[in-house]
Amino acid sequence: MRRCYAGFRSLTLALKGKQVLEQNAIDSEVVKKDPKNSQKGCSYALVISCAQARNCENLFNIYGIHYLGLVEE
């Protein structure tokens, strides 16, 4: 099963992203990623439904949550 990850530079930003998604009824989970293996050196990510990826991007942009990008693995 493929999962999508939204990468963040800090735990604080990941938690803010999670809060915005929760307010909009989108489930997510904060995970710690190995910065050596992740793209763009992110160390925290939100695991989200790939079906909701575009909605998550839009919400992050609307609420000014700086994220590094979305990756499907």
Side-chain angles (χ1 to χ4, degrees):
M1 177 183 206
R2 308 284 294 171
R3 296 191 289 179
C4 287
Y5 295 87
F8 297 89
R9 289 201 189 275
S10 70
L11 178 58
T12 301
L13 285 173
L15 291 173
K16 285 181 182 180
K18 180 174 179 54
Q19 182 180 26
V20 164
L21 296 182
E22 284 178 351
Q23 291 170 351
N24 288 277
I26 298 174
D27 290 328
S28 64
E29 177 185 354
V30 176
V31 294
K32 178 135 174 75
K33 302 277 283 183
D34 184 354
K36 294 176 189 172
N37 295 333
S38 62
Q39 295 180 354
K40 301 182 183 179
C42 59
S43 57
Y44 289 92
L46 289 177
V47 180
I48 58 172
S49 163
C50 291
Q52 291 287 346
R54 186 171 298 255
N55 291 335
C56 293
E57 282 185 305
N58 290 336
L59 288 168
F60 295 151
N61 290 327
I62 289 168
Y63 287 90
I65 307 292
H66 181 71
Y67 68 105
L68 300 172
L70 286 169
V71 176
E72 185 177 341
E73 293 181 356

